[in-house]
Amino acid sequence: MAFRLGWKTSRSHWSFLQAVSSGFPLISWRTAGSCLDPEMKAYLEENTEVTSSGSLTPEIQLRLLTPRCKFWWERAELWPYSDPYWAIYWPGGQALSRYLLDNPDVVRGKSVLDLGSGCGATAIAAKMSGASKILANDIDPIAGMAITLNCKLNGLNPFPVLTKNILSTKQGKFDLIVLGDMFYDEDLADSLHLWLENYFWTYRTRVLIGDPGRPQFSGHSIRHQLHKLEEYTLPEPTQQDNSGLTTSAVWDFHP
């Protein structure tokens, strides 16, 4: 089976909660700019492509897996690291990033937490739009490296990346939390919902969610606490790579 079919069509094989419950090492990547392992960096650069096409944000360059990359077609088990969810620009993240670029006042001068950052595109969009402080969060340390590489591609100084389970750590106040494509697993959705509610009532922090309408999101109780801000038609390549999903929306959380 081609690598792209082995993991890319679903974000449930190596979920956030599975990683935590299995004892997967959760490493804090706090000095991302100076912690790039040369061998791993070379491997990522060799097996990804720099691209800005086929997404809602042509302003942002990213290192991604594309049809021109070997592992787009290769068997998934041959990839030597954890499943590279960071190497796909998921549609919820695309919508969030587009929204921040089009509405810079949402983030200008504010502190932003990008939860489940993946390739880092939404955090990068926040930085491009004038955010004063950014923390990207993803449990995969390799995502931390990818985010650092993607910052540099876009002429940005790398921002901190936390590769711990943020749902079980205490965090200070952020002005804005953004998360895209995180409602792909029912148990994770429940945990996220509870954490976001607690965080909102503690700090009155604004929360924006990007999602293309996956069943785990559309059927979740959190939908009763959301207001749709914008909906985007996905570019044809993104539709083809995401089982025919045609739109992606940004939602404002109001518990």
Side-chain angles (χ1 to χ4, degrees):
M1 179 179 289
F3 190 85
R4 65 186 292 268
L5 298 180
W7 61 272
K8 194 167 69 62
T9 56
S10 172
R11 293 195 60 178
S12 60
H13 176 65
W14 181 262
S15 75
F16 190 98
L17 292 182
Q18 285 172 319
V20 174
S21 62
S22 65
F24 185 81
L26 302 176
I27 303 168
S28 178
W29 193 299
R30 293 197 180 276
T31 54
S34 60
C35 291
L36 296 183
D37 176 79
E39 183 177 344
M40 187 182 295
K41 176 177 179 288
Y43 194 87
L44 296 191
E45 290 177 336
E46 179 183 353
N47 289 286
T48 56
E49 179 185 21
V50 176
T51 181
S52 61
S53 63
S55 76
L56 289 170
T57 57
E59 305 96 318
I60 299 177
Q61 294 191 85
L62 300 168
R63 281 201 166 276
L64 302 174
L65 277 175
T66 74
R68 287 174 290 278
C69 299
K70 178 179 71 172
F71 280 102
W72 182 272
W73 306 104
E74 191 57 271
R75 297 196 312 275
E77 61 267 22
L78 296 180
W79 180 258
Y81 306 110
S82 56
D83 289 346
Y85 293 127
W86 54 265
I88 297 296
Y89 193 6
W90 300 94
Q94 289 191 32
L96 271 175
S97 301
R98 181 72 269 158
Y99 184 80
L100 297 185
L101 290 171
D102 289 345
N103 300 275
D105 288 346
V106 172
V107 294
R108 185 179 291 122
K110 296 179 180 178
S111 57
V112 179
L113 170 63
D114 183 14
L115 186 60
S117 192
C119 66
T122 302
I124 288 169
K127 188 66 174 178
M128 287 179 166
S129 297
S132 61
K133 173 187 173 184
I134 293 175
L135 177 64
N137 171 237
D138 196 292
I139 62 165
D140 187 351
I142 302 173
M145 176 173 288
I147 291 168
T148 297
L149 294 175
N150 288 333
C151 283
K152 294 180 178 180
L153 279 176
N154 293 279
L156 302 175
N157 291 326
F159 35 73
V161 181
L162 179 66
T163 54
K164 288 184 177 180
N165 173 12
I166 204 167
L167 302 190
S168 63
T169 63
K170 289 187 177 181
Q171 293 296 320
K173 180 183 186 299
F174 287 88
D175 300 316
L176 176 68
I177 294 176
V178 291
L179 61 156
D181 305 287
M182 290 293 285
F183 286 80
Y184 58 86
D185 174 89
E186 291 182 3
D187 291 336
L188 174 58
D190 290 343
S191 296
L192 281 171
H193 188 193
L194 179 61
W195 188 87
L196 290 171
E197 277 192 330
N198 290 337
Y199 196 96
F200 177 89
W201 290 116
T202 300
Y203 296 111
R204 299 289 177 167
T205 291
R206 190 179 189 187
V207 178
L208 299 182
I209 298 173
D211 194 273
R214 294 186 182 87
Q216 298 91 332
F217 176 74
S218 299
H220 198 273
S221 59
I222 196 172
R223 279 291 300 271
H224 301 297
Q225 299 172 314
L226 299 175
H227 169 69
K228 186 188 291 186
L229 296 175
E230 193 68 68
E231 187 167 13
Y232 302 94
T233 299
L234 293 169
E236 186 63 30
T238 301
Q239 294 186 30
Q240 293 175 358
D241 294 342
N242 287 273
S243 304
L245 293 170
T246 59
T247 64
S248 189
V250 176
W251 303 82
D252 205 352
F253 181 51
H254 292 285

